Amino acid sequence: MVSSIESSVGIERKVVTELPGPKSRALHERRRAVVSAGLTVGFPIYIERAEGAILRDVDGNQILDLGSGIAVISVGHAVPEIIDAVSAQVAAFTHTCFMVTPYESYVEVCEELAAVTPGDFAKTSVLINSGSEAVENAVKVARLATGRQAIVVFDHAYHGRTNLTMALTAKNMPYKDRFGPFAPEIYRAPMSYPFRDGLSGAEAAERAIKYIETQVGAANVAGLLIEPIQGEGGFVVPADGFLPALSAWTTKNGVVFIADEIQSGFCRSGDWFAVNHEGVVPDMVVTAKGLAGGMPLAALTGRAELMNAVHEGGLGGTFGGNPVAAAAALATIKTMRDRNLVARAREIGEVVLSKLRSLQQDVAIIGEVRGRGAMIAMELVVPGTKDPNAAAAKAVVNYCNQQGVIALVCGTYGNVIRLLPPLVITDEQLADGLGVVAAAVRSAG
Ligand code: PLZ
């Protein structure tokens, strides 16, 4: 099948032109005339092919991808099993609309979601197109199932760019600025952010719960929505005990606990889901990104009694659970199991943590190194303080880009460098990439 076509993408980082090269620069000029200026311009090298952890651009540069297209390509680029599954599905049929005439792969994806998400109770799912849309559906279902309206979210949260999810997202610029008015009945509680608040998980949970009980009222809360490790907000890992305490509070108060595992899920954190590290079992889980190996697919999975409380026709969408995306998801999940990518994510985490922690010993701009599995970040500060150092973060990413490495910035203050390598990255590629990142940090420091 298609996967047997020999790929010409190498396995090594190789910069052969200035970056961006002449062909990328020409494409970027064309883009300016027709693509909205409202989109972020990350690193404008235009990609023509990719394999494993390497992107090849139109000028023939081979770029090491430590971003995975923002945590999507966890299984790597151009996985033969996914290419085969997608190609076969394209040839069979590409769309019917599951609500009009259904097909097996949608059901199979929901069976897999029920099996891999935490909790051994009956679960049902709805498949949709984007992370934001999955979050929107979680809010719809939580409200309908509880008959309540308030949704509690957290400082530094990122949940999307649609109108409802902008309201759920914390950071104003660039996500929300002048795009309001925003949806009502959204309440933002304080997050556990050990580097900045110094609180234990129990203390931070008590603070959040006190806020909710005094300013919202437990009986008004439909759902508590949280990223178990915050993504865009800065790879904030809450202190141990924070998530279990919140989860216990939701159970006690009839509140739906919704884990946004869009960035942290599907092996990324060194477990199938980041909530598993503390044995937290959410009532609902939202997934997207890594789920379908690069095809657009998202899901809301939850306790059957909540998900099935919705009247027939209350959930859906034209493209949701598209058969090609569903085929990709099945091949992706199988690949994750077959290659034991949970274990590989843990190995990557150990290598990255030890490298960056030793770098922290001799570079004063690293305030903290944190994360789990293949989801590790450095928070950069002004030396001797905890003041965010966004300029250094920008310099580090630019340096990496010039050396042919993709690394991404995140954080409410724009001062966190996050590494999200494909989980199939080789040891050699990882060592090479970390060498570049270390040189970049030294140069910025
Ligand atoms: N929830 C936790 O990480 C997407 C956003 C990139 P969509 N994060 C990348 C950008 O600048 O738009 C994300 C996430 C978490 C929800 C979302 C939203 O997922 O698929 O982008 O809608």
Side-chain angles (χ1 to χ4, degrees):
M1 288 197 68
V2 185
S3 58
S4 61
I5 293 174
E6 205 185 308
S7 167
S8 47
V9 181
I11 57 161
E12 279 176 354
R13 177 172 63 94
K14 199 165 84 189
V15 177
V16 296
T17 68
E18 60 178 324
L19 292 174
K23 288 183 180 161
S24 280
R25 289 203 305 274
L27 279 168
H28 205 58
E29 271 314 300
R30 257 173 72 195
R31 158 184 172 153
R32 279 187 218 285
V34 291
V35 177
S36 167
L39 283 133
T40 300
V41 179
F43 183 28
I45 51 161
Y46 285 70
I47 303 306
E48 71 175 13
R49 204 175 177 109
E51 190 180 350
I54 300 285
L55 306 169
R56 194 185 62 211
D57 76 4
V58 288
D59 293 289
N61 296 294
Q62 291 174 189
I63 307 293
L64 180 62
D65 186 2
L66 299 185
S68 298
I70 322 189
V72 170
I73 300 290
S74 296
V75 289
H77 296 277
V79 179
E81 294 87 335
I82 300 176
I83 296 173
D84 289 348
V86 165
S87 307
Q89 185 58 50
V90 168
F93 63 95
T94 55
H95 178 80
T96 63
C97 186
F98 189 76
M99 300 183 301
V100 178
T101 48
Y103 40 89
E104 183 177 1
S105 55
Y106 189 115
V107 179
E108 276 184 280
V109 171
C110 297
E111 287 168 348
E112 288 285 24
L113 286 165
V116 295
T117 53
D120 54 9
F121 38 78
K123 294 170 214 155
T124 63
S125 295
V126 57
L127 306 183
I128 47 268
N129 305 301
S130 69
S132 304
E133 204 185 346
V135 171
E136 294 240 1
N137 276 278
V139 171
K140 283 167 66 170
V141 176
R143 284 180 171 158
L144 183 149
T146 59
R148 304 173 180 180
Q149 294 189 346
I151 300 294
V152 172
V153 288
F154 288 82
D155 287 332
H156 312 287
Y158 183 91
H159 298 293
R161 292 176 178 270
T162 58
N163 184 265
L164 174 57
T165 59
M166 274 193 293
L168 301 168
T169 290
K171 190 173 174 173
N172 176 55
M173 203 59 174
Y175 308 122
K176 303 167 71 166
D177 198 62
R178 292 164 290 159
F179 291 139
F182 303 112
E185 285 305 309
I186 309 295
Y187 299 89
R188 192 168 309 285
M191 178 64 181
S192 167
Y193 193 158
F195 177 64
R196 296 202 170 271
D197 65 23
L199 300 180
S200 71
E203 290 162 346
E206 196 189 320
R207 178 177 66 173
I209 289 166
K210 193 174 281 173
Y211 165 84
I212 299 166
E213 290 185 340
T214 57
Q215 300 192 35
V216 192
N220 297 317
V221 181
L224 180 146
L225 169 65
I226 190 163
E227 302 155 86
I229 300 174
Q230 290 182 322
E232 305 305 308
F235 278 29
V236 178
V237 185
D240 284 354
F242 181 71
L243 295 171
L246 292 181
S247 168
W249 179 86
T250 58
T251 304
K252 199 173 112 203
N253 290 283
V255 173
V256 181
F257 186 102
I258 309 161
D260 179 343
E261 291 263 11
I262 288 168
Q263 192 153 162
S264 56
F266 281 100
C267 304
R268 177 54 57 187
S269 75
D271 208 318
W272 278 91
F273 295 95
V275 285
N276 295 1
H277 293 284
E278 289 193 90
V280 168
V281 178
D283 300 306
M284 289 183 186
V285 179
V286 272
T287 53
K289 291 192 185 282
L291 162 62
M295 294 298 286
L297 185 70
L300 168 64
T301 303
R303 288 181 184 274
E305 67 269 25
L306 299 173
M307 297 293 294
N308 295 347
V310 181
H311 49 279
E312 184 178 327
L315 304 176
T318 305
F319 290 120
N322 168 274
V324 182
L330 294 172
T332 298
I333 294 168
K334 184 171 185 310
T335 301
M336 287 176 170
R337 280 204 191 94
D338 291 350
R339 302 197 191 168
N340 198 356
L341 294 184
V342 161
R344 180 60 183 154
R346 288 185 187 213
E347 278 171 16
I348 291 170
E350 280 162 28
V351 173
V352 177
L353 274 180
S354 88
K355 174 82 181 181
L356 298 185
R357 292 220 159 113
S358 77
L359 182 65
Q360 188 182 14
Q361 302 305 307
D362 38 77
V363 182
I365 58 169
I366 303 181
E368 188 180 46
V369 176
R370 59 174 178 255
R372 289 193 204 274
M375 192 174 180
I376 306 289
M378 298 176 274
E379 176 153 5
L380 304 186
V381 294
V382 174
T385 74
K386 286 191 178 179
D387 297 347
N389 194 340
K394 204 174 232 175
V396 168
V397 165
N398 286 342
Y399 183 109
C400 288
N401 288 348
Q402 286 311 310
Q403 300 298 314
V405 173
I406 305 285
L408 303 172
V409 171
C410 63
T412 299
Y413 316 111
N415 66 323
V416 180
I417 305 286
R418 57 177 153 171
L419 300 180
L420 291 162
L423 307 179
V424 297
I425 193 169
T426 66
D427 291 343
E428 296 72 24
Q429 288 169 333
L430 185 59
D432 173 46
L434 288 173
V436 172
V437 170
V441 174
R442 285 182 202 283
S443 134

Short mmCIF file of all heavy atoms in Angstrom, two decimals, residues 389-422:
data_model
loop_
_atom_site.label_atom_id
_atom_site.label_comp_id
_atom_site.label_asym_id
_atom_site.label_seq_id
_atom_site.Cartn_x
_atom_site.Cartn_y
_atom_site.Cartn_z
N ASN A 389 10.42 36.04 32.35
CA ASN A 389 11.38 36.54 31.38
C ASN A 389 10.95 36.09 29.97
O ASN A 389 11.48 35.14 29.41
CB ASN A 389 12.77 36.00 31.74
CG ASN A 389 13.88 36.72 31.00
OD1 ASN A 389 13.64 37.35 29.98
ND2 ASN A 389 15.09 36.60 31.51
N ALA A 390 9.95 36.81 29.45
CA ALA A 390 9.41 36.46 28.13
C ALA A 390 10.43 36.71 27.03
O ALA A 390 10.47 35.98 26.02
CB ALA A 390 8.13 37.24 27.86
N ALA A 391 11.27 37.73 27.22
CA ALA A 391 12.27 38.04 26.18
C ALA A 391 13.23 36.86 26.02
O ALA A 391 13.60 36.48 24.90
CB ALA A 391 13.04 39.30 26.56
N ALA A 392 13.62 36.25 27.15
CA ALA A 392 14.53 35.10 27.07
C ALA A 392 13.85 33.93 26.37
O ALA A 392 14.47 33.22 25.57
CB ALA A 392 14.99 34.69 28.47
N ALA A 393 12.56 33.73 26.66
CA ALA A 393 11.84 32.61 26.03
C ALA A 393 11.81 32.79 24.52
O ALA A 393 12.03 31.85 23.75
CB ALA A 393 10.43 32.51 26.60
N LYS A 394 11.56 34.01 24.10
CA LYS A 394 11.53 34.30 22.66
C LYS A 394 12.91 34.04 22.04
O LYS A 394 13.03 33.44 20.97
CB LYS A 394 11.13 35.77 22.48
CG LYS A 394 10.51 36.06 21.15
CD LYS A 394 10.01 37.50 21.09
CE LYS A 394 8.58 37.55 20.64
NZ LYS A 394 8.00 38.87 20.67
N ALA A 395 13.95 34.48 22.75
CA ALA A 395 15.31 34.31 22.24
C ALA A 395 15.66 32.82 22.13
O ALA A 395 16.30 32.39 21.16
CB ALA A 395 16.30 35.03 23.14
N VAL A 396 15.23 32.03 23.11
CA VAL A 396 15.54 30.59 23.09
C VAL A 396 14.87 29.93 21.88
O VAL A 396 15.49 29.16 21.14
CB VAL A 396 15.07 29.91 24.40
CG1 VAL A 396 15.10 28.39 24.28
CG2 VAL A 396 15.95 30.37 25.57
N VAL A 397 13.60 30.27 21.68
CA VAL A 397 12.88 29.65 20.55
C VAL A 397 13.49 30.09 19.22
O VAL A 397 13.67 29.27 18.31
CB VAL A 397 11.37 29.97 20.64
CG1 VAL A 397 10.67 29.68 19.32
CG2 VAL A 397 10.74 29.13 21.75
N ASN A 398 13.84 31.36 19.10
CA ASN A 398 14.46 31.83 17.86
C ASN A 398 15.78 31.12 17.59
O ASN A 398 16.06 30.69 16.47
CB ASN A 398 14.70 33.35 17.90
CG ASN A 398 13.41 34.11 17.73
OD1 ASN A 398 12.41 33.57 17.25
ND2 ASN A 398 13.41 35.38 18.13
N TYR A 399 16.57 30.97 18.63
CA TYR A 399 17.85 30.27 18.49
C TYR A 399 17.61 28.84 18.01
O TYR A 399 18.25 28.36 17.08
CB TYR A 399 18.58 30.29 19.83
CG TYR A 399 19.97 29.67 19.83
CD1 TYR A 399 21.10 30.47 19.95
CD2 TYR A 399 20.14 28.28 19.75
CE1 TYR A 399 22.37 29.91 19.97
CE2 TYR A 399 21.41 27.71 19.77
CZ TYR A 399 22.52 28.52 19.88
OH TYR A 399 23.77 27.96 19.91
N CYS A 400 16.69 28.16 18.66
CA CYS A 400 16.37 26.77 18.28
C CYS A 400 15.93 26.72 16.81
O CYS A 400 16.39 25.87 16.04
CB CYS A 400 15.26 26.20 19.16
SG CYS A 400 15.79 25.85 20.84
N ASN A 401 15.04 27.62 16.44
CA ASN A 401 14.55 27.63 15.07
C ASN A 401 15.70 27.80 14.08
O ASN A 401 15.75 27.10 13.06
CB ASN A 401 13.53 28.76 14.87
CG ASN A 401 12.20 28.47 15.55
OD1 ASN A 401 11.93 27.35 15.99
ND2 ASN A 401 11.36 29.47 15.65
N GLN A 402 16.59 28.71 14.38
CA GLN A 402 17.71 28.96 13.45
C GLN A 402 18.61 27.72 13.32
O GLN A 402 19.26 27.53 12.30
CB GLN A 402 18.54 30.17 13.92
CG GLN A 402 17.84 31.51 13.66
CD GLN A 402 17.31 31.62 12.22
OE1 GLN A 402 18.04 31.38 11.26
NE2 GLN A 402 16.03 31.96 12.08
N GLN A 403 18.60 26.88 14.35
CA GLN A 403 19.39 25.64 14.30
C GLN A 403 18.56 24.48 13.73
O GLN A 403 19.02 23.33 13.72
CB GLN A 403 19.88 25.25 15.70
CG GLN A 403 20.78 26.28 16.36
CD GLN A 403 22.06 26.52 15.59
OE1 GLN A 403 22.72 25.57 15.17
NE2 GLN A 403 22.40 27.78 15.36
N GLY A 404 17.34 24.75 13.33
CA GLY A 404 16.52 23.68 12.75
C GLY A 404 15.79 22.84 13.78
O GLY A 404 15.58 21.64 13.57
N VAL A 405 15.40 23.46 14.89
CA VAL A 405 14.65 22.74 15.93
C VAL A 405 13.36 23.52 16.25
O VAL A 405 13.42 24.74 16.43
CB VAL A 405 15.49 22.56 17.22
CG1 VAL A 405 14.64 21.97 18.35
CG2 VAL A 405 16.71 21.70 16.95
N ILE A 406 12.25 22.83 16.28
CA ILE A 406 10.99 23.46 16.69
C ILE A 406 10.83 23.29 18.20
O ILE A 406 10.82 22.17 18.71
CB ILE A 406 9.77 22.78 16.02
CG1 ILE A 406 9.89 22.75 14.50
CG2 ILE A 406 8.46 23.44 16.48
CD1 ILE A 406 9.65 24.03 13.80
N ALA A 407 10.71 24.40 18.90
CA ALA A 407 10.33 24.38 20.32
C ALA A 407 9.26 25.46 20.47
O ALA A 407 9.22 26.41 19.68
CB ALA A 407 11.53 24.67 21.21
N LEU A 408 8.40 25.32 21.46
CA LEU A 408 7.25 26.22 21.57
C LEU A 408 7.25 26.99 22.88
O LEU A 408 7.67 26.46 23.92
CB LEU A 408 5.94 25.42 21.47
CG LEU A 408 5.75 24.56 20.23
CD1 LEU A 408 4.50 23.68 20.38
CD2 LEU A 408 5.64 25.41 18.97
N VAL A 409 6.75 28.21 22.82
CA VAL A 409 6.57 29.03 24.02
C VAL A 409 5.14 28.83 24.52
O VAL A 409 4.22 28.58 23.75
CB VAL A 409 6.78 30.53 23.68
CG1 VAL A 409 6.39 31.42 24.85
CG2 VAL A 409 8.24 30.78 23.32
N CYS A 410 4.94 28.91 25.83
CA CYS A 410 3.59 28.97 26.38
C CYS A 410 3.65 29.76 27.67
O CYS A 410 4.67 30.35 28.00
CB CYS A 410 3.03 27.55 26.61
SG CYS A 410 3.93 26.56 27.81
N GLY A 411 2.54 29.79 28.39
CA GLY A 411 2.51 30.47 29.68
C GLY A 411 1.73 31.77 29.62
O GLY A 411 1.81 32.51 28.64
N THR A 412 1.01 32.03 30.69
CA THR A 412 0.27 33.28 30.82
C THR A 412 1.19 34.47 30.60
O THR A 412 0.79 35.48 30.03
CB THR A 412 -0.36 33.36 32.23
OG1 THR A 412 -1.27 32.25 32.36
CG2 THR A 412 -1.13 34.65 32.46
N TYR A 413 2.45 34.34 31.04
CA TYR A 413 3.40 35.45 30.92
C TYR A 413 4.35 35.26 29.73
O TYR A 413 5.33 35.98 29.61
CB TYR A 413 4.20 35.58 32.23
CG TYR A 413 3.32 35.48 33.45
CD1 TYR A 413 3.39 34.38 34.31
CD2 TYR A 413 2.37 36.47 33.72
CE1 TYR A 413 2.56 34.27 35.40
CE2 TYR A 413 1.52 36.35 34.82
CZ TYR A 413 1.62 35.25 35.66
OH TYR A 413 0.78 35.14 36.73
N GLY A 414 4.08 34.27 28.90
CA GLY A 414 4.90 34.05 27.69
C GLY A 414 6.35 33.70 27.99
O GLY A 414 7.23 33.93 27.16
N ASN A 415 6.59 33.09 29.15
CA ASN A 415 7.98 32.86 29.57
C ASN A 415 8.32 31.39 29.78
O ASN A 415 9.28 31.08 30.47
CB ASN A 415 8.25 33.63 30.87
CG ASN A 415 7.44 33.08 32.03
OD1 ASN A 415 6.29 32.67 31.86
ND2 ASN A 415 8.04 33.04 33.20
N VAL A 416 7.51 30.51 29.22
CA VAL A 416 7.74 29.07 29.43
C VAL A 416 8.09 28.43 28.09
O VAL A 416 7.38 28.65 27.09
CB VAL A 416 6.50 28.40 30.06
CG1 VAL A 416 6.73 26.91 30.27
CG2 VAL A 416 6.14 29.08 31.38
N ILE A 417 9.17 27.65 28.07
CA ILE A 417 9.54 26.88 26.88
C ILE A 417 9.05 25.45 27.11
O ILE A 417 9.42 24.82 28.10
CB ILE A 417 11.08 26.80 26.71
CG1 ILE A 417 11.71 28.19 26.69
CG2 ILE A 417 11.44 25.99 25.45
CD1 ILE A 417 11.47 28.96 25.44
N ARG A 418 8.22 24.96 26.20
CA ARG A 418 7.70 23.60 26.38
C ARG A 418 8.26 22.69 25.29
O ARG A 418 8.41 23.09 24.14
CB ARG A 418 6.17 23.59 26.34
CG ARG A 418 5.60 24.16 25.09
CD ARG A 418 4.09 24.08 25.05
NE ARG A 418 3.56 25.14 24.20
CZ ARG A 418 2.29 25.24 23.82
NH1 ARG A 418 1.41 24.34 24.22
NH2 ARG A 418 1.89 26.23 23.05
N LEU A 419 8.51 21.46 25.70
CA LEU A 419 9.00 20.45 24.76
C LEU A 419 7.95 19.34 24.68
O LEU A 419 7.55 18.76 25.69
CB LEU A 419 10.34 19.88 25.24
CG LEU A 419 11.46 20.94 25.37
CD1 LEU A 419 12.75 20.28 25.84
CD2 LEU A 419 11.69 21.69 24.07
N LEU A 420 7.51 19.09 23.46
CA LEU A 420 6.46 18.08 23.20
C LEU A 420 6.92 17.19 22.05
O LEU A 420 6.28 17.17 20.99
CB LEU A 420 5.17 18.79 22.80
CG LEU A 420 4.41 19.60 23.86
CD1 LEU A 420 3.42 20.57 23.22
CD2 LEU A 420 3.68 18.67 24.82
N PRO A 421 8.00 16.46 22.22
CA PRO A 421 8.50 15.66 21.09
C PRO A 421 7.53 14.54 20.72
O PRO A 421 6.79 14.05 21.58
CB PRO A 421 9.81 15.07 21.63
CG PRO A 421 9.68 15.10 23.11
CD PRO A 421 8.81 16.29 23.44
N PRO A 422 7.55 14.14 19.45
CA PRO A 422 6.83 12.91 19.10
C PRO A 422 7.39 11.79 19.99
O PRO A 422 8.59 11.74 20.26
CB PRO A 422 7.21 12.67 17.64
CG PRO A 422 7.74 13.97 17.12
CD PRO A 422 8.31 14.68 18.31
#
